[in-house]
Amino acid sequence: MARYFYMIVFLNMTVHIIFNVPLILIQNRFNGAVISMALSIVIGTILSYMFIKAMSKYPYNGLPEIFMDLLPAYIRVPFLIFLSLMWIAAGSLAIGSFAYLIKLYLNPEMDLRIILGFLVLVLLYGSTRGTQSILYKVEITILTVSPFIAYIIFKALTSNYFYPVHIKRALQYSLEMPNYSSVAAASYIFTGYINLVIMNRNIQAKRILKHFWLIPVLGTLILAFTYFIPFGFLGIKSIGDFVLPWMVTVDTIRMEYGFIERASFLLVMIFMQLSILFAIINWNVGLELMKSALGIEDRKTGKRLFTLVFLGIVGFLTVYFQETLNQRSYFEAVKIWFNLRLPVEILLVLALSLLSLRRKQA
Amino acid sequence: MNRKAVLVCTFAVLAGLLTGCAYKDIDKRFFVTSIGVDYSKNPQKPYHVSLKLAIPSPQVQPGKTKFQLITEDADSIAEAVRVMKSKVDKDFDFGHCRVLVFGREILRKHQAEVLNWFMRRRDIQGIAYMALGDPTAEKVIKVKAKSERLPSNAIILSFDETSNDSPYIIPEILNDFYMRLKEEGIDPYLPVIQPLKDTYAINRVVLVKGSRLSKELNMDETRILNELLNTDRRGLIDVKKDENEFFVNVESFKTKTTVVIPRNTKPYVNVHIKIDGYIESSEKKLSHNYELLEDQRLASEVISNRVKSTLETIQKIGSDPLGLGLKYQAKHGVSEDKVKKWNKIYPHIQFKVKTDLKLRGTGIMY
């Protein structure tokens, strides 16, 4: 079952392109993005190791069950609700970013609210499924999508318009002071492990630790690819002119023998799969956390009222939130979420590790 | 049972929403297959935009392409396109626009504005081919090539290296042009298209100095530039010395360029060329191996000299399509001082060209 875990980690690593993590890093390309990335690889690896190690001491228990024994209700309930909202926000922000992309590249004449509304309907259906069946869906999607990702990377690296010399120039700026925004954004790439708070009910954390080396290796490779490949195509100056650098980068690739020549549509298809799946997972985890915090056990009683009302409100707020903001301020909101996420994640991991230490002594 | 019925109904309703073309059917669209932008000689309305609109026909046959050409003068491309919409009955679709042709004057005067429109539109592909129309873009777009099966397909196929690998054609795509224009240390180029009767001639390239159009290279220089750019296009090398004339068919051509800045001596550029090829035609019989080796030596010498003189021509023009400045920056830093320093070095830099030619054989005959 450990493979599902690595697939979720991989999913999180690839989905960050939609979240515009490359954009945040590219904006800081002259102010220490490279060293922030190196730093975030270290932080991400340490955090994920600590978390998985701590989780492995509670086999088949989710975070709510662990907290149930260890923390009093007045700490446990608000903390779980807060975490749940963080997860829900991640899913909503991802699907909102993707709705912008659909509007821009696939359906320019369609109303943004309608696009997002239908995506939210899909999420409502998907995220109310059981965690186990979502894990199966993760496997199917990753297996179908990864050949295309490999193909795009291969096409990019062998393209005539890929200039490695730009990457060398970008590396000239590697010895700058790192900044918090870049570290927060880049360390996001490792954050897939955190879904273990609920997935630990289905996945044995002990098995994961056997192949732990995959996380830093995959993370470093994907971070390097996603940050440096756009430089190779767009140069270090003009790259700052684009809202979605990866879409423009892939638009420079031509599939000579392809059914369609424009590779950017392939990327949109990959994004569609990944962002919907990512949002489903996040909403599912958020929902489970919320249900445990409020003590609702609808799987046993069969009454789904709370789930539907809660996710309905969330879906409405997602559409409403995107309606009130323009794209620029939307990405600012994403940035704020990123900056908030890192301390919350560190807090969660530290709390859990300390609690698990106590368990050993007891 | 009840649940299943609900699900079936839902999916039936959702399936109705799957109307492929964003709610506008294909018969309500005009596919623009190429755009030409010229200078209109009227300073108030400088943009003379021409669109080639494909007219769908039930049969796709060579030489039976139908298209409509409409033009408009306006003070911006966006405005021109809006006005042109009132001249036709359907909506424009730029999704199949693969060829952008520009006039010389408009790029001299309004290059930044022109490029901005094309880069900003999401439906203009980043892989669209750019070219310079000689004498004007409109005249290039107007040509109805005899062989083409779809409007503008002839130009696309000439630029596509899977269908045409002529070494005189250097394709340039929109995104790459934009990068080269913005970046300091590499300069763009544009292939020049000349309309002929029923076809085109694409065999020259115009260089850009800084951000302004500069001089054209002639055919032979274009070919050598193409080879130096490491595109996969292969060519023929003709060697003539005294009585001995022969041609080498090139199988592979690889160049490695390095910028060397020594401490005490003058800076120079090292160009190392590796060629594999066969003799395609020779006036004399090559009965011994030493004759072949002699030819090999002769050909390398000729190629080295040719490449050197082409590089010097490009240097004199002041353009840098090979990105030597980038190579310098990658080694020595990207700061403004370094860029200025390179701009001082480049006009006087020396080129040292070394060719490793390997003649693999002489074909069927000795």
Side-chain angles (χ1 to χ4, degrees):
Chain A
M1 297 298 271
R3 69 173 186 278
Y4 293 121
F5 174 79
Y6 284 108
M7 280 168 185
I8 290 179
V9 170
F10 180 72
L11 169 74
N12 263 269
M13 286 173 178
T14 42
V15 96
H16 81 287
I17 297 179
I18 304 164
F19 255 147
N20 248 344
V21 171
L23 181 70
I24 297 174
L25 291 175
I26 281 163
Q27 278 170 349
N28 290 311
R29 63 193 179 281
F30 302 131
N31 312 322
V34 177
I35 218 139
S36 306
M37 275 157 52
L39 207 63
S40 69
I41 291 171
V42 176
I43 294 175
T45 311
I46 292 174
L47 282 181
S48 46
Y49 186 78
M50 279 168 72
F51 191 75
I52 298 167
K53 187 93 190 162
M55 274 323 239
S56 66
K57 289 191 181 140
Y58 305 92
Y60 297 114
N61 270 327
L63 189 71
E65 289 90 47
I66 299 170
F67 277 1
M68 187 69 91
D69 306 334
L70 298 168
L71 290 177
Y74 59 87
I75 299 180
R76 190 187 75 225
V77 173
F79 191 51
L80 284 180
I81 290 178
F82 173 68
L83 285 180
S84 153
L85 291 180
M86 284 297 283
W87 252 277
I88 297 266
S92 299
L93 289 174
I95 210 72
S97 308
F98 181 61
Y100 278 123
L101 212 132
I102 291 190
K103 166 91 177 162
L104 198 62
Y105 280 92
L106 285 186
N107 248 343
E109 279 132 57
M110 204 174 187
D111 195 346
L112 191 61
R113 280 166 293 187
I114 296 176
I115 297 173
L116 190 57
F118 277 113
L119 287 173
V120 163
L121 283 185
V122 174
L123 296 193
L124 279 182
Y125 176 78
S127 57
T128 46
R129 301 306 99 189
T131 306
Q132 189 63 47
S133 53
I134 289 177
L135 289 180
Y136 294 142
K137 165 77 178 132
V138 170
E139 183 166 33
I140 293 168
T141 306
I142 295 294
L143 284 182
T144 45
V145 157
S146 42
F148 290 104
I149 295 175
Y151 177 72
I152 282 189
I153 290 177
F154 168 75
K155 275 306 256 188
L157 293 179
T158 55
S159 167
N160 272 343
Y161 300 107
F162 177 71
Y163 302 86
V165 68
H166 284 313
I167 295 174
K168 277 190 207 158
R169 288 169 74 216
L171 282 170
Q172 294 273 351
Y173 289 97
S174 29
L175 291 175
E176 304 276 331
M177 277 300 282
N179 56 346
Y180 177 70
S181 226
S182 312
V183 174
S187 66
Y188 175 76
I189 201 168
F190 289 93
T191 211
Y193 70 87
I194 207 90
N195 287 316
L196 211 58
V197 291
I198 291 299
M199 305 297 178
N200 200 34
R201 290 172 183 170
N202 305 67
I203 299 171
Q204 252 191 317
K206 232 178 211 168
R207 291 253 179 99
I208 296 166
L209 283 175
K210 267 188 197 164
H211 308 283
F212 183 77
W213 56 271
L214 266 171
I215 292 185
V217 170
L218 266 182
T220 313
L221 276 180
I222 291 179
L223 197 56
F225 276 140
T226 51
Y227 178 70
F228 285 118
I229 285 181
F231 280 107
F233 282 97
L234 306 174
I236 61 171
K237 243 186 203 166
S238 53
I239 199 170
D241 298 350
F242 302 112
V243 181
L244 294 160
W246 255 96
M247 285 308 294
V248 183
T249 300
V250 175
D251 204 9
T252 319
I253 301 169
R254 198 167 77 91
M255 300 186 284
E256 295 92 350
Y257 305 104
F259 181 63
I260 42 169
E261 282 189 315
R262 212 179 171 185
S264 54
F265 289 121
L266 208 62
L267 191 68
V268 174
M269 192 206 76
I270 294 172
F271 277 176
M272 169 120 61
Q273 301 259 336
L274 292 181
S275 59
I276 289 177
L277 179 66
F278 174 81
I280 285 178
I281 292 175
N282 275 270
W283 278 23
N284 182 267
V285 171
L287 180 71
E288 294 291 331
L289 285 174
M290 184 62 87
K291 279 197 304 199
S292 328
L294 302 177
I296 292 163
E297 296 189 325
D298 60 353
R299 292 248 162 241
K300 283 178 192 160
T301 54
K303 282 178 189 160
R304 292 293 193 77
L305 188 67
F306 172 78
T307 311
L308 289 178
V309 169
F310 176 64
L311 284 184
I313 294 170
V314 165
F316 174 75
L317 284 179
T318 306
V319 180
Y320 180 75
F321 182 65
Q322 202 189 32
E323 170 66 21
T324 49
L325 296 180
N326 63 12
Q327 196 174 7
R328 199 65 60 85
S329 44
Y330 190 85
F331 283 131
E332 282 301 310
V334 174
K335 217 174 179 178
I336 293 169
W337 183 84
F338 273 127
N339 290 345
L340 186 63
R341 182 203 58 87
L342 186 59
V344 171
E345 193 176 309
I346 292 175
L347 181 74
L348 175 63
V349 171
L350 283 183
L352 199 78
S353 312
L354 290 177
L355 289 175
S356 75
L357 280 182
R358 238 172 66 181
R359 180 182 164 100
K360 204 178 183 182
Q361 287 156 4
Chain B
M1 202 50 214
N2 197 13
R3 263 184 77 179
K4 263 185 195 165
V6 170
L7 266 182
V8 167
C9 287
T10 328
F11 279 116
V13 172
L14 286 177
L17 294 165
L18 298 172
T19 51
C21 293
Y23 300 126
K24 212 168 249 179
D25 279 334
I26 204 159
D27 54 345
K28 290 179 184 153
R29 287 165 183 270
F30 244 140
F31 288 105
V32 181
T33 54
S34 46
I35 305 179
V37 186
D38 284 306
Y39 187 67
S40 70
K41 292 190 184 117
N42 176 1
Q44 257 84 48
K45 292 181 169 181
Y47 299 91
H48 179 75
V49 182
S50 15
L51 302 182
K52 191 174 191 173
L53 305 172
I55 295 171
S57 61
Q59 279 176 321
V60 179
Q61 273 180 353
K64 291 260 167 84
T65 66
K66 284 185 195 160
F67 63 86
Q68 188 179 353
L69 191 88
I70 52 170
T71 57
E72 183 64 52
D73 290 355
D75 56 353
S76 69
I77 300 180
E79 175 69 22
V81 170
R82 291 286 176 284
V83 174
M84 270 191 266
K85 261 188 195 172
S86 65
K87 289 185 174 176
V88 292
D89 51 348
K90 287 171 249 183
D91 198 9
F92 293 137
D93 190 312
F94 291 99
H96 288 265
C97 178
R98 288 287 311 280
V99 180
L100 317 172
V101 188
F102 300 96
R104 203 177 295 263
E105 281 300 295
I106 196 78
L107 285 188
R108 289 242 162 92
K109 291 197 166 100
H110 298 281
Q111 182 167 254
E113 295 92 326
V114 169
L115 264 186
N116 191 287
W117 188 81
F118 286 107
M119 289 302 292
R120 204 175 281 272
R121 288 282 299 206
R122 50 110 211 155
D123 46 2
I124 303 285
Q125 311 186 8
I127 51 172
Y129 293 115
M130 286 180 78
L132 189 84
D134 183 31
T136 64
E138 193 188 344
K139 280 191 179 138
V140 169
I141 286 189
K142 232 182 212 167
V143 173
K144 186 173 182 178
K146 232 177 189 168
S147 58
E148 68 185 0
R149 296 163 70 219
L150 304 160
S152 299
N153 207 24
I155 297 183
I156 298 172
L157 288 179
S158 336
F159 282 134
D160 186 348
E161 62 264 26
T162 57
S163 57
N164 182 341
D165 63 358
S166 158
Y168 296 104
I169 299 175
I170 308 186
E172 175 67 322
I173 61 169
L174 179 61
N175 277 359
D176 191 54
F177 186 85
Y178 186 77
M179 183 280 288
R180 284 167 173 266
L181 196 67
K182 282 273 166 147
E183 218 64 37
E184 274 166 281
I186 190 163
D187 287 324
Y189 49 80
L190 279 179
V192 181
I193 305 184
Q194 266 178 310
L196 303 175
K197 193 175 175 285
D198 295 334
T199 183
Y200 309 94
I202 312 169
N203 51 26
R204 281 170 299 143
V205 76
V206 61
L207 296 177
V208 178
K209 181 185 176 182
S211 60
R212 281 179 69 83
L213 278 191
S214 190
K215 285 186 188 137
E216 274 174 27
L217 293 184
N218 65 26
M219 261 173 75
D220 291 323
E221 288 160 348
T222 302
R223 185 183 73 191
I224 286 163
L225 175 64
N226 206 351
E227 284 158 351
L228 288 174
L229 284 167
N230 272 330
T231 49
D232 299 330
R233 290 161 181 271
R234 300 183 219 123
L236 197 67
I237 298 165
D238 59 308
V239 181
K240 194 178 178 189
K241 195 159 192 192
D242 306 331
E243 305 261 297
N244 184 10
E245 187 179 9
F246 59 95
F247 294 87
V248 178
N249 186 18
V250 176
E251 293 263 297
S252 84
F253 194 114
K254 279 188 187 123
T255 48
K256 208 177 153 192
T257 325
T258 40
V259 179
V260 188
I261 313 278
R263 279 273 161 82
N264 301 320
T265 47
K266 273 189 170 177
Y268 60 93
V269 177
N270 229 342
V271 183
H272 191 180
I273 306 173
K274 266 189 182 169
I275 311 175
D276 265 20
Y278 287 81
I279 299 260
E280 185 161 299
S281 128
S282 172
E283 294 215 333
K284 67 172 188 187
K285 187 177 169 188
L286 298 161
S287 37
H288 300 288
N289 194 26
Y290 69 83
E291 281 171 318
L292 185 65
L293 291 177
E294 175 62 23
D295 274 2
Q296 183 172 302
R297 196 190 55 76
L298 199 63
S300 334
E301 224 168 69
V302 167
I303 294 161
S304 294
N305 285 336
R306 247 179 240 168
V307 168
K308 196 174 174 198
S309 75
T310 305
L311 283 169
E312 276 160 3
T313 315
I314 295 171
Q315 185 187 28
K316 243 177 238 160
I317 293 172
S319 175
D320 183 7
L322 293 173
L324 298 175
L326 293 184
K327 291 197 167 110
Y328 175 82
Q329 288 175 28
K331 250 189 203 163
H332 297 92
V334 195
S335 65
E336 218 144 280
D337 295 351
K338 296 282 176 190
V339 173
K340 267 183 201 156
K341 205 171 166 192
W342 169 252
N343 288 342
K344 266 182 206 158
I345 293 174
Y346 183 58
H348 308 292
I349 205 161
Q350 281 186 326
F351 295 99
K352 293 187 178 173
V353 185
K354 194 184 158 212
T355 312
D356 279 344
L357 175 81
K358 208 158 207 179
L359 287 176
R360 293 277 172 193
T362 54
I364 289 178
M365 290 169 71
Y366 268 118

